[in-house]
Amino acid sequence: MDSAWLVPAALAFGVLVGAGVAVILVISAGRGRTAHEVVNSSVPDGVDQVIEALESAGVVIDPSNNVVKASPGALSYGLVWNGALVHPELVQLVDQVRRNGEPVTEELHLARGPFGEASIYLSVRVARLGARYVLLLAEDRTESYRLDEVRRDFIANISHELKTPIGAVGLLAEALVSASKEPEQVKRFAKRLTKESERLARITQEIIELSRLQATDTLTKTDRVDIDYVVASAIDQNRVAAEANKVVIVSGGDAGAEVFGDETLLTTAVDNLISNAIQYSPNGSRVGVGVSRRDGVVEIAVTDQGVGIPEDEIDRVFERFFRTDPARARNTGGSGLGLSIVKHVVQNHGGDIRVWSQPGNGSTFTIRLPEASHAAAASLGAS
Ligand code: ADP
């Protein structure tokens, strides 16, 4: 063979071998990637993003019960700690689903986090995710459980509230019949009969008012309402109670404020605040009602020097049927509905209500409402 061909032939052979090796490497690298994807493809595409976007709790668990992905909600509910599920109840559900393959849904009452004292009500759904993983989704039901509890308490309370005066009316009627020949006794029983029937009427009225307010979120009647008149009427409606409790009501502040709304409802709201201020104050104390107008906001503040509200219960006083001290509230004829009526009225008027209170030092409830002149000016400006 001619040696002149040897060098190019060797070169061509070298290039061929190199190209072959390169092709084999590329193919095998591709195969490797495919194999990796096959392993991971059991966590369906996009699960990461879905878990990330969840507001509630979402957790992906691997075959060794390690948490491979958890939503921020799962962390804030305290379900995950150190890369694992905190609650044995949840681990049990996960194991069960892994064994049976069937999804399960359960309502659970769990401790919040690994060492906290608080608890949380969860609606939990567990299902398989691909071949290897298990998905756990949980919704916080604590609020609705708490409302149910308040509602159950209310039914117990309201039955008691109604049973007591109804029973008393029956007994007093019997007493009236047997004392018919003694005018003094008849007078005494009749007076008590009137008081009990007034109490019954008040509780019934409050329940009706609250249902009416909750049925509509916006006002049907919106006139210009004179706040001075509202405050004066509400104070007037409490004169007798104030005198009976030797409480002095003082009022003051900015005059001439007006809001758009329903005069009767607003009077009821201020009336309820003043009535509470009197009920929960000692004899001889003062209740202040102040009106202020600032930057298009009308504030009506009712201040007392009474028993105050414990700090941990302050957020709950506007809940329907909630009473900080049921026994005392029962004596005062309270039903726990007054403040929730106030809150609804104020919200329906586009305002809000705030409370400051300190046990032993008294409370201030402040209603804030948009001022009519400001609202009118704003709409004129906009047109
Ligand atoms: P109630 O008819 O029992 O007064 P409310 O809804 O008006 O119901 O008030 C709820 C609870 O809030 C009351 O039972 C009372 O414990 C507390 N509360 C309301 N107003 C005052 C106040 N001015 N001072 C102290 N506690 C108050």
Side-chain angles (χ1 to χ4, degrees):
M1 192 196 240
D2 191 348
S3 61
W5 286 101
L6 255 179
V7 173
L11 264 176
F13 181 73
V15 166
L16 262 177
V17 169
V21 169
V23 166
I24 288 167
L25 276 176
V26 167
I27 289 172
S28 56
R31 289 234 169 105
R33 200 167 54 237
T34 316
H36 183 67
E37 271 163 9
V38 166
V39 170
N40 273 347
S41 71
S42 52
V43 179
D45 270 353
V47 166
D48 265 24
Q49 286 99 312
V50 172
I51 295 280
E52 206 67 62
L54 274 182
E55 199 183 316
S56 52
V59 185
V60 178
I61 301 118
D62 77 3
S64 317
N65 278 347
N66 295 316
V67 169
V68 289
K69 188 82 198 163
S71 72
L75 303 179
S76 73
Y77 293 174
L79 303 186
V80 177
W81 184 250
N82 256 344
L85 288 171
V86 169
H87 305 90
E89 296 92 331
L90 295 181
V91 177
Q92 252 176 31
L93 281 184
V94 168
D95 288 342
Q96 180 188 327
V97 168
R98 199 177 283 121
R99 262 196 322 272
N100 305 342
E102 292 298 318
V104 288
T105 305
E106 289 229 2
E107 300 279 321
L108 294 174
H109 184 200
L110 302 171
R112 193 168 196 135
F115 31 72
E117 275 179 7
S119 63
I120 185 169
Y121 286 93
L122 290 179
S123 168
V124 182
R125 176 136 178 103
V126 186
R128 273 196 161 159
L129 183 68
R132 304 183 68 223
Y133 297 96
V134 175
L135 173 69
L136 181 148
L137 297 170
E139 295 263 357
D140 186 357
R141 294 264 189 265
T142 313
E143 188 62 19
S144 77
Y145 269 89
R146 208 162 54 83
L147 283 179
D148 273 353
E149 229 167 75
V150 172
R151 208 166 296 137
R152 270 199 302 277
D153 277 1
F154 164 71
I155 291 167
N157 286 342
I158 206 73
S159 327
H160 184 94
E161 292 311 330
L162 293 175
K163 228 164 57 192
T164 317
I166 288 170
V169 165
L171 287 175
L172 287 166
E174 276 174 27
L176 265 177
V177 172
S178 40
S180 57
K181 294 202 177 69
E182 299 166 59
E184 275 314 304
Q185 291 280 65
V186 169
K187 251 197 228 163
R188 202 161 63 87
F189 290 141
K191 224 165 129 186
R192 283 183 53 197
L193 204 55
T194 313
K195 209 173 152 201
E196 294 299 342
S197 68
E198 278 171 2
R199 184 168 170 192
L200 265 177
R202 196 179 55 241
I203 296 173
T204 319
Q205 183 60 31
E206 280 187 348
I207 295 173
I208 294 169
E209 244 165 48
L210 191 58
S211 333
R212 196 163 63 87
L213 281 168
Q214 286 180 325
T216 50
D217 274 349
T218 46
L219 293 172
T220 42
K221 217 173 94 195
T222 50
D223 300 324
R224 263 179 186 265
V225 179
D226 177 359
I227 292 297
D228 295 340
Y229 182 77
V230 164
V231 169
S233 315
I235 292 178
D236 233 37
Q237 286 167 17
N238 282 285
R239 285 246 185 264
V240 177
E243 272 163 28
N245 289 280
K246 299 190 174 57
V247 169
V248 180
I249 307 177
V250 283
S251 65
D254 300 336
E258 283 188 330
V259 302
F260 283 113
D262 182 320
E263 186 183 278
T264 316
L265 288 180
L266 287 171
T267 310
T268 303
V270 180
D271 171 18
N272 282 358
L273 291 185
I274 300 175
S275 151
N276 276 350
I278 297 170
Q279 299 284 11
Y280 299 104
S281 288
N283 283 3
S285 63
R286 285 157 78 93
V287 166
V289 187
V291 178
S292 78
R293 305 166 62 182
R294 206 173 308 128
D295 303 327
V297 177
V298 181
E299 285 194 357
I300 309 166
V302 178
T303 305
D304 64 57
Q305 304 165 317
V307 291
I309 302 162
E311 201 186 334
D312 56 338
E313 294 189 322
I314 239 173
D315 291 337
R316 300 196 60 194
V317 292
F318 296 104
E319 281 175 14
R320 269 181 299 169
F321 323 127
F322 180 80
R323 304 191 298 191
T324 58
D325 179 351
R328 190 188 149 87
R330 194 167 294 140
N331 285 339
T332 60
S335 59
L337 293 174
L339 285 179
S340 73
I341 290 177
V342 177
K343 188 174 169 189
H344 269 91
V345 169
V346 172
Q347 283 179 343
N348 285 4
H349 282 79
D352 64 10
I353 175 149
R354 294 164 181 199
V355 54
W356 171 91
S357 190
Q358 231 172 33
N361 285 331
S363 318
T364 297
F365 286 82
T366 308
I367 291 176
R368 302 190 326 143
L369 298 165
E371 191 169 7
S373 55
H374 228 74
S379 65
L380 282 179
S383 64

